[in-house]
Amino acid sequence: MEKRLIVDMDGVLADVYEQFIRYELEETGRKISLGETLGLSESEAFLNGRKHVRLKGFFRNAPVIPSAVEVLERLNQKYEVFIVSSATEFPNSLEEKYYWMEEHFPFVSWQQLVFCGSKAIVKGDFMIDDHFKNLDRFEGKTFLFTQPHNVGHSERSHHRVNSWIDIAGILL
Amino acid sequence: MEKRLIVDMDGVLADVYEQFIRYELEETGRKISLGETLGLSESEAFLNGRKHVRLKGFFRNAPVIPSAVEVLERLNQKYEVFIVSSATEFPNSLEEKYYWMEEHFPFVSWQQLVFCGSKAIVKGDFMIDDHFKNLDRFEGKTFLFTQPHNVGHSERSHHRVNSWIDIAGILL
């Protein structure tokens, strides 16, 4: 039986930092650099972020993280893949995330999508996520996907990966 | 620690049969009785059903199953409740289901909502659902909520409940 692989969206498939920076620039005229955001939570780094994620298009137009498409397509042939995204906090994001997946990852079916509030409820063998709160409660093997907010924080019991190429090297 | 209770929406909290009957009546002028639908799958009973669930308002305006609100409110104090609904097949249903829950079950937070395609991924202690495909793969104790499509079918290893009053008697 195929092992089950659980993959996060924001910060793993979708480049939300790029969006935060764009929206902040548009609102304040100031371009925040990734360097300034290292080690800070997203809400510390982007003071208007909580407002921006509620705007139409924020999730729908997020860029894809490099190599995510190519690597996930191959993982999808080897594992039972589920895309599990925290989305119910922002109801406007639900449809946007659905259509974003359909556009960029057409090989992932609707049966493989999970939009939730808490990831405590999912079970599987592997989880790739950029947030400790999701990884810490997972029973299987966990991969911490490097994003500015988790830089400088100890990996704890999670295996840190810096890119989709890293993931390919381990899981393919 | 609280036991985790997983509750389905369609056919358990939301009366989708009432909606199927309404929409079929509107389209064909024929009022289907519940009696005619006993033992048939929803798509056998409602020939236009697959079309109707895609229409705006189908899920948003579904009536609530009797006593669901009162009993779930009390269960929510005793269990870790998650509402897990198959929704990603119909992306238009995502926001509708969110706002339907917010309207009728305001005591259930966004953290407790899960919209998915397959329920194979969720773990918990109890599951209430009207479909065998969801209950059969669940590891905890399972309750089959009676709906016309499962009438006349053996309960298998699941405990059949006919109403929210039944559920209150067992779980409260």
Side-chain angles (χ1 to χ4, degrees):
Chain A
M1 197 155 127
E2 286 177 331
K3 297 270 190 185
R4 183 179 297 156
L5 169 63
I6 291 171
V7 180
D8 179 31
M9 277 181 78
D10 301 331
V12 173
L13 297 179
D15 190 349
V16 288
Y17 270 77
E18 189 69 30
Q19 288 293 80
F20 279 127
I21 289 170
R22 268 188 213 172
Y23 278 68
E24 205 73 33
L25 175 64
E26 213 158 288
E27 169 141 358
T28 66
R30 194 169 88 78
K31 180 153 188 182
I32 295 170
S33 74
L34 283 182
E36 296 173 65
T37 71
L38 294 180
L40 302 178
S41 72
E42 289 159 323
S43 55
E44 290 168 333
F46 304 101
L47 296 178
N48 298 296
R50 300 281 300 172
K51 182 172 77 185
H52 293 157
V53 293
R54 288 182 162 80
L55 296 179
K56 201 170 156 63
F58 183 91
F59 293 103
R60 183 65 187 88
N61 301 318
V64 179
I65 301 250
S67 303
V69 174
E70 299 78 359
V71 177
L72 192 65
E73 184 157 24
R74 290 184 54 203
L75 289 168
N76 197 38
Q77 290 157 5
K78 184 174 173 188
Y79 298 90
E80 183 195 20
V81 169
F82 279 93
I83 310 300
V84 179
S85 179
S86 294
T88 54
E89 187 175 2
F90 310 114
N92 63 303
S93 76
L94 293 163
E95 266 194 57
E96 294 202 7
K97 289 185 171 201
Y98 175 92
Y99 288 112
W100 188 88
M101 282 300 304
E102 191 181 62
E103 177 187 347
H104 299 291
F105 298 85
F107 50 86
V108 173
S109 73
W110 59 264
Q111 286 96 336
Q112 296 170 271
L113 300 179
V114 180
F115 298 132
C116 60
S118 158
K119 299 189 186 181
I121 196 173
V122 300
K123 61 180 181 193
D125 300 293
F126 305 101
M127 176 182 267
I128 307 170
D129 208 292
D130 62 322
H131 282 286
F132 289 103
K133 66 180 178 198
N134 298 324
L135 298 171
D136 287 347
R137 289 180 300 182
F138 188 68
E139 289 163 359
K141 174 134 187 63
T142 45
F143 297 95
L144 177 69
F145 197 93
T146 294
Q147 280 293 330
H149 65 80
N150 63 41
V151 166
H153 295 268
S154 153
E155 289 79 15
R156 305 184 199 171
S157 57
H158 314 303
H159 185 101
R160 186 182 283 277
V161 288
N162 293 313
S163 68
W164 275 94
I165 303 302
D166 266 12
I167 293 171
I170 298 165
L171 290 176
L172 283 176
Chain B
M1 198 156 127
E2 285 176 331
K3 297 272 192 183
R4 183 178 297 154
L5 169 63
I6 291 171
V7 180
D8 178 32
M9 277 181 77
D10 301 332
V12 173
L13 296 179
D15 190 348
V16 288
Y17 271 76
E18 188 68 29
Q19 288 293 79
F20 279 127
I21 289 170
R22 270 188 210 170
Y23 278 69
E24 205 73 34
L25 175 64
E26 214 159 285
E27 169 141 358
T28 65
R30 195 169 86 77
K31 179 152 189 181
I32 296 170
S33 73
L34 284 180
E36 296 174 64
T37 71
L38 295 180
L40 301 178
S41 72
E42 289 160 323
S43 55
E44 290 168 333
F46 303 102
L47 296 179
N48 298 296
R50 299 281 300 173
K51 183 172 75 185
H52 293 156
V53 294
R54 288 183 161 80
L55 297 179
K56 201 171 156 61
F58 184 91
F59 293 102
R60 184 65 187 87
N61 302 317
V64 180
I65 302 251
S67 303
V69 174
E70 299 79 357
V71 177
L72 191 65
E73 185 157 22
R74 289 183 56 201
L75 289 167
N76 198 37
Q77 289 156 7
K78 184 173 171 187
Y79 298 90
E80 184 194 20
V81 169
F82 279 93
I83 310 301
V84 179
S85 180
S86 296
T88 53
E89 186 176 3
F90 310 114
N92 63 303
S93 76
L94 293 164
E95 267 195 55
E96 295 202 6
K97 289 185 171 201
Y98 175 92
Y99 288 113
W100 188 89
M101 281 301 301
E102 191 180 62
E103 177 187 348
H104 299 292
F105 297 86
F107 51 86
V108 173
S109 74
W110 58 264
Q111 285 95 336
Q112 296 170 271
L113 300 179
V114 180
F115 297 132
C116 59
S118 159
K119 299 189 186 180
I121 196 173
V122 300
K123 61 180 181 193
D125 301 292
F126 305 101
M127 176 181 267
I128 306 170
D129 209 291
D130 62 322
H131 281 286
F132 289 104
K133 67 179 177 197
N134 298 323
L135 297 171
D136 287 347
R137 289 180 301 182
F138 188 68
E139 289 164 359
K141 173 134 188 65
T142 45
F143 297 95
L144 177 69
F145 197 93
T146 296
Q147 281 292 331
H149 65 80
N150 64 42
V151 167
H153 295 269
S154 154
E155 287 79 15
R156 305 184 199 171
S157 57
H158 314 305
H159 184 101
R160 186 182 282 276
V161 287
N162 292 312
S163 68
W164 277 94
I165 303 302
D166 266 13
I167 293 171
I170 298 166
L171 290 176
L172 284 176

